[in-house]
Amino acid sequence: MKQNLIELNQVAKSFKAADGHDRSVLEKLDFQLAEGEIVALLGKSGSGKSTLLRIMAGLIPADTGQLSYRGKAIYGPVAGIAMVFQSFALFPWLTVQQNVELGLEAQGVASDERKSRTDAVLELIGLAGFGGALPRELSGGMKQRVGIARALVTNPDVLLMDEAFSALDVLTGETLRNDMLELWDENRIPTKGILIVSHNIEEAVMMADRIIIMSSNPGCIRSEVKIDLPRPRDVDALEVRALIDEVYGLMTMRTAQETAGGGTHTRHLGYRLPETDVSRIEGVLDLLAQAPFNGRADLPQLAEEVDLNDEELFPTYEALSLLGLAILEKGDIILSPLGQHYADADQTLRQELFGQQLLTHVPLAAHIRRNLEQESSGSLPEQPFIELLEEFLKADEAKRVLEIAIEWGRYGEVYEYDYHTGRLSLPDDDDD
């Protein structure tokens, strides 16, 4: 039986918000990373993926719960665990050689050994001859190779990768991903386990032995998909496409908590509205209504058609579903009868329908409208609404949610907003 490299039991983490209240990021989370496996971690914004990785790396502590590496409790950075960041995190004034040597220097490794190990890992990662270059002389893909080399040079048992390929263009990211898999599958690196945070479903299916899907606010594990297919995997193979569809379905599935009525997320004023704008919502809806989709599309195929990544599209799918314009079903998106009516409507009717659905399905918009109607002047400052949202969300999230509600409400002519004064008001036709 394979030994667990990392174990988390009932781990929870909160952060203090600007209003002084604690905001739960992770809640009662159990997780194991076993020897010999690559695990991909997927989840929408706010699911705590990066926070979870930093807890495992010992960079930040958990509030409650137990976490261990090879059976020993983690209280801080662990020598056997290394991390690769999305932002490259290179020191611009240091050469490639010096950047890669930093971890070894911190461990007290002698100069000669640092150089020999760095030379070896730079050759392994495809950067032989670039040791004297400065980061500004490198492409994005080469910078990320330096970041990976800096992690690998310490011979880590566990490699944590926080969206390590997402800042790169598609071709560069795919090349680097395949190079990493080749090193792993051919046992050319000493690493025994890899955990990848990603927003790219296809990337997760191509790389992982297991995919963990997290829910949001607070983050916890809601689904797991095991993948037994050998690598390298053919992205066009039927079984791979079926897995991609399955994961898309799980990612777009709303939990019982999110779909129930009463005081749960969809009815709650603190529901974190999907970060997408009206033009993108209508753009995807119009594309979906046209040939070749004709009202129904496979989500991966639709993503290829609009040339946007999953992280950009998922909020739009959620918005279409939230507003009753589309239905998400097992990796497909289907226009609802109202969505089809919306696609056929002229601009005036579209705005009317948008406003009606907004008041019906978005409690925050209905709350703003109701308060404006009760105010004799038909006008109110935005600050009380921000303070209300801060009871449920962090300050920056509260501000962003109100911004989305304002944009949607203005388009649906539910209320107006003055950017100079920060005041909301009823539309002119409703003032009397």
Side-chain angles (χ1 to χ4, degrees), residues 326-393:
I327 301 159
L328 294 164
E329 181 182 282
K330 296 180 180 178
D332 286 356
I333 184 168
I334 308 156
L335 277 186
S336 66
L338 178 64
Q340 187 61 59
H341 180 48
Y342 191 104
D344 296 335
D346 62 22
Q347 185 61 37
T348 301
L349 181 55
R350 281 190 173 204
Q351 289 181 252
E352 182 182 336
L353 291 172
F354 196 97
Q356 290 172 359
Q357 294 305 101
L358 188 64
L359 289 173
T360 302
H361 297 289
V362 179
L364 175 59
H367 177 76
I368 292 171
R369 173 73 187 210
R370 189 164 54 249
N371 276 265
L372 290 172
E373 289 172 343
Q374 292 170 355
E375 183 65 28
S376 59
S377 67
S379 173
L380 286 167
E382 66 179 343
Q383 192 57 35
F385 298 110
I386 292 176
E387 291 172 359
L388 175 65
L389 289 171
E390 285 178 350
E391 294 179 18
F392 313 103
L393 303 167

Coordinates of all heavy atoms in Angstrom, one line a residue, residues 326-393:
A326 N -30.3 29.8 -19.4 CA -29.7 28.5 -19.8 C -29.7 27.5 -18.7 O -29.8 27.8 -17.5 CB -28.3 28.8 -20.4
I327 N -29.6 26.3 -19.1 CA -29.5 25.1 -18.2 C -28.2 24.4 -18.4 O -27.8 24.2 -19.5 CB -30.7 24.2 -18.4 CG1 -32.1 24.9 -18.3 CG2 -30.6 23.0 -17.5 CD1 -33.2 24.2 -19.0
L328 N -27.5 24.1 -17.3 CA -26.3 23.4 -17.3 C -26.6 21.9 -17.0 O -27.2 21.6 -16.0 CB -25.3 24.0 -16.4 CG -24.8 25.4 -16.7 CD1 -24.2 26.0 -15.5 CD2 -23.9 25.4 -17.9
E329 N -26.1 21.0 -17.9 CA -26.5 19.6 -17.7 C -25.4 18.7 -18.3 O -25.1 18.6 -19.5 CB -27.8 19.3 -18.5 CG -28.3 17.9 -18.4 CD -29.6 17.7 -19.3 OE1 -30.7 18.2 -18.8 OE2 -29.5 17.2 -20.4
K330 N -24.7 18.0 -17.3 CA -23.7 17.0 -17.7 C -22.7 17.5 -18.7 O -22.4 16.8 -19.7 CB -24.3 15.7 -18.1 CG -25.2 15.1 -17.1 CD -25.8 13.8 -17.6 CE -26.7 13.2 -16.5 NZ -27.4 11.9 -17.0
G331 N -22.1 18.7 -18.5 CA -21.1 19.2 -19.4 C -21.6 19.8 -20.7 O -20.8 20.2 -21.6
D332 N -22.9 20.0 -20.7 CA -23.6 20.8 -21.8 C -24.2 22.0 -21.3 O -24.6 22.1 -20.1 CB -24.6 19.9 -22.5 CG -24.0 18.8 -23.4 OD1 -22.7 18.8 -23.5 OD2 -24.7 18.0 -24.0
I333 N -24.4 23.0 -22.2 CA -25.2 24.2 -21.8 C -26.3 24.3 -22.8 O -26.1 24.1 -24.0 CB -24.4 25.4 -21.8 CG1 -25.2 26.6 -21.3 CG2 -23.7 25.7 -23.1 CD1 -24.4 27.9 -21.0
I334 N -27.6 24.4 -22.3 CA -28.8 24.4 -23.2 C -29.6 25.7 -22.9 O -29.8 26.1 -21.8 CB -29.6 23.2 -22.8 CG1 -28.8 21.9 -22.8 CG2 -30.8 23.1 -23.7 CD1 -29.4 20.8 -22.0
L335 N -29.9 26.4 -24.0 CA -30.8 27.6 -23.9 C -32.1 27.1 -23.3 O -32.7 26.2 -23.8 CB -31.0 28.2 -25.2 CG -29.9 29.2 -25.7 CD1 -30.4 29.9 -27.0 CD2 -29.6 30.2 -24.6
S336 N -32.6 27.9 -22.3 CA -34.0 27.7 -21.8 C -34.9 28.3 -22.8 O -34.5 29.1 -23.7 CB -34.1 28.3 -20.5 OG -34.0 29.7 -20.6
P337 N -36.2 28.0 -22.7 CA -37.2 28.7 -23.6 C -37.1 30.2 -23.5 O -37.2 30.9 -24.5 CB -38.6 28.2 -23.1 CG -38.2 26.8 -22.6 CD -36.9 26.9 -22.0
L338 N -36.9 30.7 -22.3 CA -36.7 32.1 -22.1 C -35.4 32.6 -22.7 O -35.4 33.7 -23.3 CB -36.7 32.5 -20.6 CG -36.5 34.0 -20.2 CD1 -37.6 34.8 -20.8 CD2 -36.3 34.2 -18.7
G339 N -34.4 31.8 -22.6 CA -33.1 32.2 -23.3 C -33.2 32.3 -24.8 O -32.7 33.2 -25.4
Q340 N -34.0 31.4 -25.4 CA -34.2 31.4 -26.8 C -35.1 32.7 -27.2 O -34.8 33.4 -28.2 CB -35.0 30.2 -27.3 CG -35.1 30.1 -28.8 CD -33.8 30.0 -29.5 OE1 -33.0 29.1 -29.3 NE2 -33.5 31.0 -30.4
H341 N -36.1 33.0 -26.3 CA -36.9 34.2 -26.6 C -36.0 35.4 -26.5 O -36.1 36.4 -27.2 CB -38.0 34.2 -25.5 CG -38.9 35.4 -25.6 ND1 -39.5 35.8 -26.8 CD2 -39.3 36.3 -24.6 CE1 -40.2 36.9 -26.5 NE2 -40.1 37.2 -25.2
Y342 N -35.1 35.4 -25.5 CA -34.1 36.5 -25.3 C -33.2 36.7 -26.5 O -33.0 37.8 -27.0 CB -33.3 36.2 -24.1 CG -32.4 37.4 -23.6 CD1 -32.8 38.1 -22.4 CD2 -31.3 37.7 -24.2 CE1 -32.0 39.1 -21.9 CE2 -30.5 38.8 -23.7 CZ -30.9 39.4 -22.6 OH -30.1 40.5 -22.1
A343 N -32.7 35.6 -27.1 CA -31.9 35.6 -28.2 C -32.6 36.2 -29.4 O -31.9 36.9 -30.3 CB -31.4 34.2 -28.6
D344 N -33.9 36.0 -29.5 CA -34.7 36.5 -30.7 C -35.2 37.9 -30.5 O -35.7 38.5 -31.4 CB -35.9 35.6 -30.9 CG -35.5 34.2 -31.3 OD1 -34.4 34.0 -31.9 OD2 -36.3 33.2 -31.1
A345 N -35.0 38.5 -29.3 CA -35.6 39.8 -28.9 C -34.8 40.9 -29.4 O -33.6 40.8 -29.7 CB -35.8 39.9 -27.4
D346 N -35.4 42.1 -29.6 CA -34.7 43.3 -29.9 C -34.1 43.9 -28.6 O -34.3 43.3 -27.5 CB -35.6 44.3 -30.6 CG -36.8 44.8 -29.7 OD1 -36.7 44.7 -28.4 OD2 -37.8 45.3 -30.2
Q347 N -33.3 44.9 -28.7 CA -32.6 45.5 -27.6 C -33.5 45.9 -26.4 O -33.2 45.6 -25.3 CB -31.7 46.6 -28.1 CG -30.8 47.2 -27.0 CD -29.8 46.1 -26.5 OE1 -29.3 45.4 -27.3 NE2 -29.5 46.1 -25.2
T348 N -34.6 46.6 -26.7 CA -35.5 47.0 -25.7 C -36.0 45.9 -24.9 O -36.1 45.9 -23.6 CB -36.6 47.9 -26.3 OG1 -36.0 49.0 -27.0 CG2 -37.5 48.4 -25.2
L349 N -36.5 44.9 -25.6 CA -37.1 43.7 -24.9 C -36.0 42.9 -24.1 O -36.3 42.4 -23.0 CB -37.8 42.8 -25.9 CG -38.4 41.5 -25.3 CD1 -39.4 41.9 -24.2 CD2 -39.1 40.7 -26.4
R350 N -34.8 42.9 -24.7 CA -33.7 42.2 -24.0 C -33.5 42.9 -22.6 O -33.3 42.2 -21.6 CB -32.4 42.2 -24.8 CG -32.4 41.2 -25.9 CD -31.0 41.2 -26.5 NE -30.9 40.1 -27.4 CZ -29.7 39.5 -27.8 NH1 -28.6 39.9 -27.3 NH2 -29.7 38.5 -28.6
Q351 N -33.4 44.2 -22.6 CA -33.2 44.9 -21.3 C -34.3 44.7 -20.4 O -34.1 44.5 -19.2 CB -32.9 46.4 -21.6 CG -31.6 46.7 -22.3 CD -31.4 48.1 -22.5 OE1 -31.5 48.6 -23.7 NE2 -31.1 48.9 -21.5
E352 N -35.5 44.7 -20.9 CA -36.7 44.4 -20.0 C -36.6 43.0 -19.4 O -36.9 42.9 -18.2 CB -38.0 44.6 -20.8 CG -39.3 44.4 -20.0 CD -40.5 44.6 -20.9 OE1 -40.4 45.2 -21.9 OE2 -41.6 44.0 -20.4
L353 N -36.3 42.0 -20.2 CA -36.2 40.6 -19.7 C -35.1 40.5 -18.7 O -35.2 39.8 -17.7 CB -36.0 39.7 -20.9 CG -37.2 39.5 -21.9 CD1 -36.8 38.7 -23.1 CD2 -38.4 38.8 -21.2
F354 N -34.0 41.1 -19.0 CA -32.8 41.1 -18.1 C -33.2 41.6 -16.8 O -32.9 41.0 -15.7 CB -31.6 41.8 -18.7 CG -30.3 41.5 -18.1 CD1 -29.5 40.6 -18.7 CD2 -29.9 42.2 -16.9 CE1 -28.2 40.3 -18.1 CE2 -28.7 41.9 -16.3 CZ -27.9 40.9 -16.9
G355 N -33.9 42.8 -16.8 CA -34.3 43.4 -15.5 C -35.2 42.5 -14.7 O -35.1 42.4 -13.5
Q356 N -36.2 41.9 -15.4 CA -37.2 41.0 -14.7 C -36.5 39.9 -14.1 O -36.8 39.5 -12.9 CB -38.2 40.6 -15.8 CG -39.2 41.6 -16.2 CD -40.0 41.1 -17.4 OE1 -39.9 40.0 -17.8 NE2 -40.9 42.0 -17.9
Q357 N -35.6 39.2 -14.8 CA -34.9 38.1 -14.3 C -33.9 38.4 -13.1 O -33.7 37.7 -12.2 CB -34.1 37.4 -15.4 CG -35.0 36.7 -16.5 CD -36.0 35.8 -15.9 OE1 -37.1 36.1 -15.8 NE2 -35.5 34.6 -15.6
L358 N -33.4 39.6 -13.3 CA -32.5 40.1 -12.2 C -33.2 40.3 -10.9 O -32.8 39.8 -9.8 CB -31.9 41.4 -12.6 CG -30.7 42.0 -11.8 CD1 -29.5 41.1 -11.8 CD2 -30.4 43.4 -12.3
L359 N -34.4 40.9 -10.9 CA -35.2 41.1 -9.7 C -35.7 39.8 -9.2 O -35.9 39.6 -8.0 CB -36.3 42.0 -10.0 CG -36.0 43.5 -10.3 CD1 -37.2 44.3 -10.7 CD2 -35.3 44.1 -9.0
T360 N -36.0 38.8 -10.0 CA -36.5 37.5 -9.6 C -35.4 36.6 -9.0 O -35.7 35.9 -8.0 CB -37.1 36.8 -10.8 OG1 -38.2 37.6 -11.4 CG2 -37.7 35.4 -10.4
H361 N -34.2 36.7 -9.5 CA -33.2 35.7 -9.2 C -32.0 36.2 -8.4 O -31.2 35.4 -7.9 CB -32.7 34.9 -10.4 CG -33.8 34.2 -11.1 ND1 -34.3 33.0 -10.6 CD2 -34.4 34.4 -12.3 CE1 -35.3 32.6 -11.5 NE2 -35.3 33.4 -12.5
V362 N -31.9 37.5 -8.3 CA -30.7 38.1 -7.6 C -31.2 38.9 -6.4 O -31.6 40.0 -6.6 CB -29.8 38.9 -8.6 CG1 -28.7 39.5 -7.8 CG2 -29.3 38.1 -9.7
P363 N -31.2 38.3 -5.2 CA -31.7 39.0 -4.1 C -31.1 40.4 -3.8 O -31.8 41.3 -3.3 CB -31.4 38.0 -2.9 CG -31.3 36.7 -3.6 CD -30.7 37.0 -4.9
L364 N -29.8 40.5 -4.1 CA -29.2 41.8 -3.8 C -29.8 42.9 -4.7 O -30.1 44.0 -4.2 CB -27.7 41.8 -4.1 CG -26.9 43.1 -4.0 CD1 -27.0 43.7 -2.6 CD2 -25.4 42.9 -4.4
A365 N -30.1 42.6 -6.0 CA -30.7 43.6 -6.9 C -32.1 43.9 -6.4 O -32.5 45.1 -6.4 CB -30.7 43.0 -8.3
A366 N -32.9 42.9 -6.0 CA -34.2 43.1 -5.5 C -34.2 44.0 -4.2 O -35.1 44.8 -4.0 CB -34.9 41.8 -5.2
H367 N -33.2 43.7 -3.3 CA -33.1 44.5 -2.1 C -32.8 45.9 -2.4 O -33.3 46.8 -1.7 CB -31.9 43.8 -1.3 CG -31.6 44.6 0.0 ND1 -32.5 44.4 1.1 CD2 -30.6 45.4 0.4 CE1 -31.9 45.2 2.1 NE2 -30.8 45.8 1.7
I368 N -31.9 46.2 -3.3 CA -31.5 47.6 -3.7 C -32.8 48.3 -4.2 O -33.1 49.4 -3.8 CB -30.4 47.6 -4.7 CG1 -29.1 47.1 -4.1 CG2 -30.2 49.0 -5.3 CD1 -28.0 46.9 -5.1
R369 N -33.5 47.6 -5.2 CA -34.7 48.2 -5.8 C -35.7 48.5 -4.7 O -36.3 49.6 -4.7 CB -35.2 47.3 -6.8 CG -36.5 47.7 -7.4 CD -36.4 48.9 -8.4 NE -37.7 49.3 -8.8 CZ -37.9 49.9 -10.0 NH1 -37.0 50.1 -10.8 NH2 -39.2 50.3 -10.3
R370 N -35.9 47.6 -3.8 CA -37.0 47.7 -2.8 C -36.6 48.9 -1.9 O -37.5 49.7 -1.5 CB -37.1 46.5 -2.0 CG -38.2 46.4 -1.0 CD -38.5 45.0 -0.5 NE -37.3 44.4 0.0 CZ -36.7 43.4 -0.6 NH1 -37.1 42.9 -1.7 NH2 -35.6 42.8 0.0
N371 N -35.4 49.1 -1.5 CA -35.0 50.2 -0.6 C -35.1 51.5 -1.3 O -35.5 52.5 -0.7 CB -33.5 50.0 -0.1 CG -33.4 49.1 1.1 OD1 -33.4 49.5 2.2 ND2 -33.4 47.7 0.8
L372 N -34.8 51.5 -2.6 CA -34.9 52.8 -3.4 C -36.4 53.2 -3.5 O -36.8 54.4 -3.4 CB -34.3 52.6 -4.8 CG -32.8 52.5 -4.9 CD1 -32.4 52.2 -6.3 CD2 -32.2 53.8 -4.4
E373 N -37.3 52.2 -3.6 CA -38.7 52.5 -3.7 C -39.3 53.0 -2.4 O -40.2 53.8 -2.4 CB -39.5 51.2 -4.2 CG -39.2 50.9 -5.6 CD -39.8 49.5 -6.0 OE1 -40.2 48.7 -5.1 OE2 -40.0 49.2 -7.2
Q374 N -38.7 52.6 -1.3 CA -39.1 53.0 0.0 C -38.6 54.4 0.4 O -39.1 55.0 1.4 CB -38.8 52.0 1.1 CG -39.5 50.6 0.9 CD -39.0 49.5 1.8 OE1 -38.0 49.7 2.5 NE2 -39.6 48.4 1.8
E375 N -37.6 54.8 -0.3 CA -37.0 56.1 0.0 C -37.7 57.2 -0.8 O -37.9 57.1 -2.0 CB -35.5 56.1 -0.4 CG -34.7 57.3 -0.1 CD -34.6 57.6 1.4 OE1 -34.6 56.6 2.1 OE2 -34.4 58.8 1.7
S376 N -38.1 58.3 -0.1 CA -38.9 59.3 -0.7 C -38.2 60.0 -1.8 O -38.9 60.4 -2.8 CB -39.3 60.4 0.4 OG -38.2 60.9 1.0
S377 N -36.9 60.1 -1.7 CA -36.1 60.8 -2.8 C -35.8 59.8 -4.0 O -35.4 60.2 -5.0 CB -34.8 61.3 -2.3 OG -34.0 60.3 -1.8
G378 N -36.0 58.5 -3.7 CA -35.7 57.5 -4.7 C -34.2 57.4 -5.0 O -33.8 56.9 -6.0
S379 N -33.4 57.8 -4.0 CA -31.9 57.8 -4.1 C -31.3 57.4 -2.8 O -31.7 57.9 -1.7 CB -31.4 59.2 -4.6 OG -30.0 59.2 -4.6
L380 N -30.2 56.6 -2.9 CA -29.5 56.2 -1.7 C -28.0 56.1 -2.0 O -27.6 55.7 -3.1 CB -30.0 54.8 -1.2 CG -31.4 54.8 -0.5 CD1 -31.8 53.3 -0.4 CD2 -31.3 55.4 0.9
P381 N -27.1 56.3 -1.0 CA -25.7 56.1 -1.2 C -25.4 54.6 -1.3 O -26.1 53.8 -0.7 CB -25.1 56.8 0.0 CG -26.1 56.7 1.1 CD -27.4 56.9 0.4
E382 N -24.3 54.3 -1.9 CA -23.9 52.9 -2.1 C -23.3 52.3 -0.8 O -23.4 51.1 -0.6 CB -22.9 52.7 -3.2 CG -21.5 53.4 -2.9 CD -20.5 53.2 -4.0 OE1 -20.7 52.3 -4.8 OE2 -19.5 54.0 -4.0
Q383 N -22.8 53.1 0.1 CA -22.0 52.6 1.3 C -22.8 51.7 2.2 O -22.3 50.6 2.6 CB -21.5 53.8 2.1 CG -20.5 53.4 3.2 CD -19.3 52.7 2.6 OE1 -18.8 52.9 1.5 NE2 -18.8 51.7 3.3
P384 N -24.1 52.0 2.5 CA -24.9 51.0 3.3 C -25.0 49.6 2.7 O -24.9 48.6 3.4 CB -26.2 51.6 3.4 CG -26.0 53.1 3.3 CD -24.9 53.2 2.2
F385 N -25.0 49.5 1.3 CA -25.1 48.3 0.7 C -23.8 47.5 0.7 O -23.7 46.3 0.9 CB -25.6 48.4 -0.8 CG -26.9 49.0 -0.9 CD1 -27.1 50.3 -1.4 CD2 -28.1 48.3 -0.5 CE1 -28.3 50.9 -1.5 CE2 -29.3 48.9 -0.7 CZ -29.5 50.2 -1.1
I386 N -22.7 48.3 0.6 CA -21.3 47.7 0.8 C -21.2 47.1 2.2 O -20.7 46.0 2.4 CB -20.2 48.7 0.5 CG1 -20.2 49.1 -1.0 CG2 -18.9 48.2 0.9 CD1 -19.2 50.2 -1.4
E387 N -21.6 47.9 3.2 CA -21.5 47.4 4.6 C -22.3 46.2 4.8 O -21.9 45.3 5.6 CB -21.9 48.6 5.5 CG -20.9 49.7 5.5 CD -21.4 50.9 6.3 OE1 -22.5 50.9 6.8 OE2 -20.6 52.0 6.4
L388 N -23.5 46.1 4.2 CA -24.3 44.9 4.3 C -23.6 43.7 3.7 O -23.6 42.6 4.3 CB -25.7 45.2 3.6 CG -26.6 44.0 3.5 CD1 -27.1 43.6 4.9 CD2 -27.8 44.3 2.6
L389 N -23.0 43.9 2.5 CA -22.3 42.8 1.9 C -21.1 42.3 2.7 O -20.7 41.2 2.7 CB -21.9 43.2 0.5 CG -23.1 43.3 -0.5 CD1 -22.6 43.9 -1.8 CD2 -23.7 41.9 -0.8
E390 N -20.5 43.3 3.4 CA -19.3 42.9 4.2 C -19.6 42.1 5.4 O -18.7 41.5 6.0 CB -18.6 44.2 4.6 CG -17.8 44.9 3.5 CD -17.2 46.2 3.9 OE1 -17.4 46.7 5.0 OE2 -16.3 46.7 3.1
E391 N -20.9 41.9 5.7 CA -21.3 41.0 6.7 C -21.1 39.5 6.2 O -21.0 38.6 7.0 CB -22.8 41.2 7.1 CG -23.0 42.5 7.8 CD -24.5 42.7 8.2 OE1 -25.2 41.7 8.2 OE2 -24.9 43.8 8.4
F392 N -21.1 39.3 4.9 CA -20.9 38.0 4.3 C -19.6 37.8 3.6 O -19.2 36.7 3.4 CB -22.1 37.8 3.4 CG -23.5 38.1 3.9 CD1 -24.1 39.3 3.5 CD2 -24.1 37.3 4.9 CE1 -25.3 39.7 4.0 CE2 -25.3 37.7 5.4 CZ -25.9 38.9 4.9
L393 N -19.0 38.9 3.1 CA -17.9 38.8 2.2 C -16.8 39.7 2.7 O -17.0 40.6 3.4 CB -18.3 39.2 0.8 CG -19.5 38.5 0.1 CD1 -19.9 39.3 -1.1 CD2 -19.1 37.1 -0.3

